[in-house]
Amino acid sequence: MNTTGQRAEGLHLAPFRGLRYAPERVGSLAAVTSPPYDVVVRPDGLTHLESADPHNIVRLILPQAETPAARHQQAADTLRRWLAEGILAPDPEAAFYVYEQRNGDVLQRGLIGALELSEAAEGVVLPHEDVMPDVVADRADLMRAAAANFEPLLLTYRSEGTRVGATAVIERAAQRPPLLSTTTEDGFSHRLWSVTDPAELAEVQNDLSHRQALIADGHHRWATYLRLRAEHPRGTPWDHGLVLLVDTARYPLRVRAIHRLLHRLPLADALSAVQGSFRVRQVDGPLSRAMEALASASAESNAFLLTGDGTYHLIDRPSPELLARTVRADRPDAWRRLDATVLHATLLDHVWNIPDDPAHIAYIHDTVATVAKAERDGGTAVLMHPVHEDVVRELAREGVTMPRKSTSFGPKPATGLVLRSLAH
């Protein structure tokens, strides 16, 4: 919709006909939504979502079958059946979708649309984390089979903080009656509006065409989009991917840590291995109090909270000689000082000798769930303190990626409110 006919070196967002649940065909909109696929704690959370409603979106993003191929085909078959039965239906017009999340004093609004894909080297969309090839391959197989984007990535950009351009369109839309409104069991209310007016679409596109975005959540899905684009001719729907764009000058995101569960490492063995190379202290519970101790220690050095048997152990002040020997010297100091860098390069690779694969490590966003699973399974929970967004953004601008699963930005968009078909 750029009236000059010139491509700007920025974000190119396109409207699309969203696939949405027909409210009269499901128990409730809240009952068919899900957190993003990688936030669902399995198997407990998966079972809970599957039982919430027979049409819960988890049956598309995390289908259950004996083999990967069977899972992906099951998702594709389920999507086709739900479309044929009118459970999901396309909106009549292509639109941008204004999406609002609210919980107490937390308010986030952004735009959902189909973003033109670009490589990191182009400097338009900046990743900040590495990805796991097996996860990208699995997501690619799922999207390829279903020919759909099931859930939007969370991308951030920074405006000048004034209510013009995309921000003005968002604020105007939020004054109108929404397409849908629901409250999920985590206490967040969700509202969605469509923007179809050509003038407003152009206003958004012209504003964003000068912006740069940071991937806040969805690195694996972005890498999946790029892989699938390479498999198709240019000029097809595969040139774009479903995203939620949030202006953090208006709506700052929260940054939380992603914790690690070490399945096969008992807590006693984990603590024994770090003696002499880290300071090790037992700290008092409950969990909230132990996490406060972690936050205090993290202000001074790399620090981690280990638990798994009901006790809490703070490890910090790693040996400078150990860090010099294990952490890459060819990266910026900000990267070398990251807790996630020290965890992977020093603790996992050298002290504990644990390979970074799902058989050994689970990445869990929820602190309580991480601890509960460690205690139940006899493993070690490694609890992390979040990194500041400014550090993430600066490293991304330098083209330096952080260790995978270093951060959790939020609030994350609920999955299931609007989907995008690639079949048309």
Side-chain angles (χ1 to χ4, degrees):
M1 299 265 177
N2 191 321
T3 57
T4 67
Q6 299 294 316
R7 286 182 55 83
E9 294 304 318
L11 302 168
H12 292 271
L13 195 68
F16 70 103
R17 291 179 65 194
L19 297 180
R20 295 190 298 111
Y21 281 99
E24 66 276 8
R25 299 300 307 276
V26 297
S28 74
L29 289 174
V32 295
T33 63
S34 163
Y37 80 97
D38 58 338
V39 181
V40 176
V41 179
R42 286 160 270 187
D44 300 355
L46 181 62
T47 302
H48 172 71
L49 290 165
E50 285 183 328
S51 61
D53 189 282
H55 301 108
N56 188 283
I57 193 69
V58 78
R59 297 181 187 276
L60 299 181
I61 62 172
L62 291 172
Q64 300 302 295
E66 291 298 320
T67 66
R71 289 197 297 271
H72 303 141
Q73 187 58 49
Q74 179 175 298
D77 293 343
T78 300
L79 176 60
R80 280 193 291 269
R81 186 173 69 254
W82 289 359
L83 287 168
E85 295 173 354
I87 305 299
L88 288 167
D91 281 334
E93 296 180 77
F96 292 141
Y97 295 87
V98 171
Y99 175 44
E100 177 190 275
Q101 295 161 274
R102 187 190 293 267
N103 187 3
D105 59 357
V106 176
L107 172 64
Q108 179 171 288
R109 289 176 180 153
L111 278 168
I112 296 176
L115 184 65
E116 184 176 344
L117 305 178
S118 60
E119 299 287 347
E122 298 176 56
V124 176
V125 176
L126 304 176
H128 70 266
E129 289 184 357
D130 293 330
V131 297
M132 292 176 270
D134 59 323
V135 176
V136 174
D138 179 75
R139 290 293 102 181
D141 289 343
L142 175 64
M143 286 189 206
R144 193 183 295 113
N149 298 153
F150 290 136
E151 43 190 341
L153 284 64
L154 176 59
L155 272 60
T156 71
Y157 69 97
R158 292 190 68 83
S159 73
E160 293 74 30
T162 54
R163 298 191 184 192
V164 298
T167 297
V169 173
I170 290 170
E171 301 301 332
R172 289 198 299 267
Q175 302 306 311
R176 303 194 290 260
L179 288 177
L180 64 84
S181 178
T182 190
T183 299
T184 46
E185 62 183 7
D186 59 3
F188 271 89
S189 65
H190 307 263
R191 295 197 294 171
L192 195 75
W193 297 263
S194 65
V195 176
T196 58
D197 178 79
E200 289 194 319
L201 296 178
E203 189 174 354
V204 168
Q205 290 174 317
N206 289 333
D207 181 17
L208 295 180
S209 68
H210 306 286
R211 308 290 183 192
Q212 179 187 62
L214 174 75
I215 301 176
D217 186 67
H219 284 81
H220 289 89
R221 283 166 284 164
W222 183 259
T224 299
Y225 289 168
L226 292 173
R227 174 179 293 195
L228 294 172
R229 180 183 70 165
E231 298 174 3
H232 294 83
R234 291 299 174 91
T236 72
W238 299 91
D239 290 347
H240 294 72
L242 186 63
V243 304
L244 166 64
L245 280 165
V246 174
D247 176 6
T248 54
R250 294 281 299 159
Y251 301 104
L253 269 66
R254 296 174 300 172
V255 186
R256 293 179 173 173
I258 302 177
H259 310 297
R260 275 66 168 165
L261 171 61
L262 310 181
H263 297 296
R264 302 180 182 180
L265 182 68
L267 179 61
D269 294 348
L271 292 170
S272 176
V274 299
Q275 292 288 344
S277 56
F278 283 74
R279 182 175 68 167
V280 181
R281 294 175 289 159
Q282 185 167 342
V283 296
D284 293 334
L287 177 58
S288 58
R289 185 173 179 180
M291 291 300 288
E292 290 174 359
L294 172 63
S296 297
S298 294
E300 300 178 3
S301 80
N302 298 114
F304 310 91
L305 187 66
L306 307 188
T307 185
D309 65 356
T311 62
Y312 301 99
H313 304 265
L314 188 64
I315 66 170
D316 63 355
R317 299 186 184 178
S319 158
E321 293 78 15
L322 177 63
L323 295 182
R325 189 171 72 249
T326 57
V327 177
R328 291 176 56 172
D330 61 345
R331 295 294 182 92
D333 287 344
W335 183 90
R336 291 171 52 82
R337 292 194 299 267
L338 289 171
D339 287 340
T341 296
V342 173
L343 173 61
H344 283 262
T346 304
L347 284 168
L348 294 175
D349 290 353
H350 290 273
V351 175
W352 293 327
N353 296 307
I354 294 177
D356 190 2
D357 65 58
H360 293 269
I361 303 176
Y363 294 84
I364 304 177
H365 294 70
D366 184 81
T367 309
V368 173
T370 309
V371 174
K373 288 180 72 66
E375 293 178 350
R376 185 173 62 196
D377 301 343
T380 295
V382 182
L383 305 180
M384 311 275 287
H385 186 68
V387 65
H388 291 291
E389 180 185 358
D390 291 345
V391 174
V392 176
R393 191 176 296 275
E394 186 54 39
L395 286 172
R397 284 178 175 154
E398 294 180 27
V400 178
T401 54
M402 300 165 64
R404 47 185 166 259
K405 301 295 184 182
S406 294
T407 59
S408 176
F409 285 87
K412 302 179 189 303
T415 299
L417 296 179
V418 60
L419 290 62
R420 174 176 176 254
S421 173
L422 296 162
H424 306 291

